[in-house]
Amino acid sequence: IKEKKYAFLVEGNMDVIQLVQNGIENCLAISGTSFTNSHAKIIKRFSNDVYIMFDGDESGKKAALRCGYILAANSIEPKIIIPPNNLDPDDWARQNGGKEILDSIENANDLISTHYTIFSSNNTQGSLSANEFIHECLNELANIEDLIVRELLIKRLSELTSIAQESILNVLNE
């Protein structure tokens, strides 16, 4: 991880084993435990760049978001890679090899964009769903103490929703 300057964070030991067998050695597994601030602090000692690659199903996507917000709260910049076709990372590596996974880094999304994509795929209520999405994000952003990280995420939220940063910040402060 120190050599590559980034880490892949996956859910299980089988994911790590398959990634390592496919030439990706800078990976860690949360091993089915709930990801915490303590885990994030340990990772931060080695890198500030983390690619979260959990299972491609709905529960994996939600877990990736939770993990991403914990990393952001610890001033780590998470990027999220969603394996195609609801695959687990180990299945993806087994089917397509490590090169495709490494190439996916180029298309990894930031935390807020991934949250928006997941939220949008489950909601089609127009501007009301945008309001709901913003409030979902703000519930998570309220836990981020680093004002710079918080402002960067609010800026991205503003860009995606076309709602002024000031408005979002006012709602957060309330």
Side-chain angles (χ1 to χ4, degrees):
I1 292 169
K2 280 190 170 192
E3 181 181 306
K4 297 278 186 180
K5 300 190 183 341
Y6 68 91
F8 281 104
L9 187 60
V10 295
E11 287 183 86
N13 296 332
M14 293 307 296
D15 298 321
V16 170
I17 291 168
Q18 198 58 239
L19 291 176
V20 169
Q21 287 178 346
N22 280 277
I24 302 170
E25 297 176 347
N26 53 327
C27 51
L28 302 165
I30 64 169
S31 300
T33 62
S34 189
F35 191 77
T36 66
N37 284 315
S38 297
H39 293 117
K41 288 175 184 167
I42 293 168
I43 291 172
K44 188 175 174 117
R45 285 191 260 167
F46 298 97
S47 179
N48 284 327
D49 293 318
V50 175
Y51 292 91
I52 302 167
M53 187 171 48
F54 288 177
D55 296 353
D57 59 10
E58 281 305 308
S59 61
K61 292 174 187 175
K62 288 178 184 176
L65 288 177
R66 282 191 306 275
C67 181
Y69 281 110
I70 292 170
L71 289 168
N74 286 277
S75 302
I76 298 172
E77 183 178 355
K79 297 277 197 305
I80 300 176
I81 298 170
I82 309 252
N85 306 317
N86 294 329
L87 291 173
D88 296 351
D90 64 322
D91 293 330
W92 188 19
R94 193 176 304 115
Q95 287 179 14
N96 298 38
K99 183 179 179 334
E100 184 172 307
I101 291 172
L102 290 172
D103 290 345
S104 72
I105 288 174
E106 297 293 322
N107 298 318
N109 285 315
D110 63 81
L111 177 60
I112 299 294
S113 296
T114 302
H115 192 163
Y116 185 75
T117 300
I118 292 168
F119 182 88
S120 296
S121 69
N122 296 325
N123 295 282
T124 56
Q125 299 168 351
S127 62
L128 287 178
S129 64
N131 184 43
E132 185 181 342
F133 168 69
I134 291 169
H135 282 280
E136 262 189 34
C137 290
L138 292 179
N139 286 336
E140 299 293 341
L141 296 178
N143 299 320
I144 298 175
E145 294 176 11
D146 185 324
L147 296 178
I148 294 170
V149 171
R150 187 189 293 181
E151 185 172 336
L152 289 168
L153 293 172
I154 287 172
K155 180 180 181 194
R156 186 68 184 124
L157 182 56
S158 172
E159 290 168 355
L160 282 171
T161 60
S162 300
I163 302 297
Q165 287 182 45
E166 296 79 24
S167 299
I168 294 171
L169 191 56
N170 287 338
V171 173
L172 179 64
N173 290 333
E174 289 175 6

